[in-house]
Amino acid sequence: MDKVDKIHQAHEFGKFAEEIASQYYLRNGYVILERNWRLRKTEIDLIAQKDDLIVIAEVKARSGEDEEALSAVTTDKRKRMIKAADFYLKSLPGLYNYRFDIITMTGNIEKYQLDVYEDAFLAADIF
């Protein structure tokens, strides 16, 4: 498999992971408000809502068992997510509680492990 095929395969696995993460939230009573919402250079993979709670979710997929998906959400990425989420939340009518989740998927499309880290980080801990 050449480099282009590996990049394409990783992209497809990432999209698959986002779809499985969306299904996880839907099964748990959430409504998906946004997928791949962008603010300038920052993308938020999923924004979901259940009652007065907004979830800002980052989805990370890794095909190798030795690859740590959770650590791929760096402090810099978390800062950008917080700033984008602040902009998004201020655009909504009313006030909402919110949390930041990280969802990781390791493996491949046929066999994977999904882990959900609710309240993975707090804005106060980053800034």
Side-chain angles (χ1 to χ4, degrees):
M1 180 180 302
D2 67 7
K3 188 175 183 178
V4 172
D5 288 337
K6 284 183 180 181
I7 291 170
H8 177 72
Q9 188 176 30
H11 178 75
E12 290 302 312
F13 187 52
K15 290 296 173 193
F16 175 74
E18 288 179 7
E19 180 57 34
I20 296 300
S22 294
Q23 291 174 17
Y24 166 82
Y25 285 114
L26 291 170
R27 277 193 317 272
N28 286 284
Y30 291 82
V31 174
I32 304 299
L33 299 177
E34 305 282 351
R35 293 175 189 242
N36 306 114
W37 184 84
R38 296 187 71 83
L39 176 67
R40 294 185 282 282
K41 295 180 181 180
T42 302
E43 179 181 277
I44 296 175
D45 294 328
L46 294 171
I47 301 175
Q49 180 179 359
K50 184 176 183 180
D51 302 321
D52 70 340
L53 175 67
I54 302 287
V55 174
I56 310 297
E58 176 69 9
V59 180
K60 286 294 180 191
R62 295 292 183 263
S63 58
E65 290 180 15
D66 59 335
E67 296 181 58
E68 176 58 47
L70 187 59
S71 65
V73 185
T74 64
T75 300
D76 185 54
K77 172 65 177 177
R78 293 172 192 214
K79 284 181 182 178
R80 290 192 319 270
M81 285 178 65
I82 291 165
K83 288 178 182 178
D86 183 58
F87 183 88
Y88 182 83
L89 291 166
K90 286 179 179 175
S91 74
L92 298 176
L95 297 175
Y96 292 88
N97 294 310
Y98 64 92
R99 73 170 193 244
F100 294 95
D101 289 2
I102 298 175
I103 299 178
T104 63
M105 179 182 280
T106 53
N108 57 53
I109 290 175
E110 290 82 30
K111 184 178 179 183
Y112 59 84
Q113 171 72 38
L114 184 76
D115 293 300
V116 179
Y117 301 90
E118 292 184 357
D119 254 338
F121 59 93
L122 302 171
D125 293 341
I126 304 298
F127 286 99

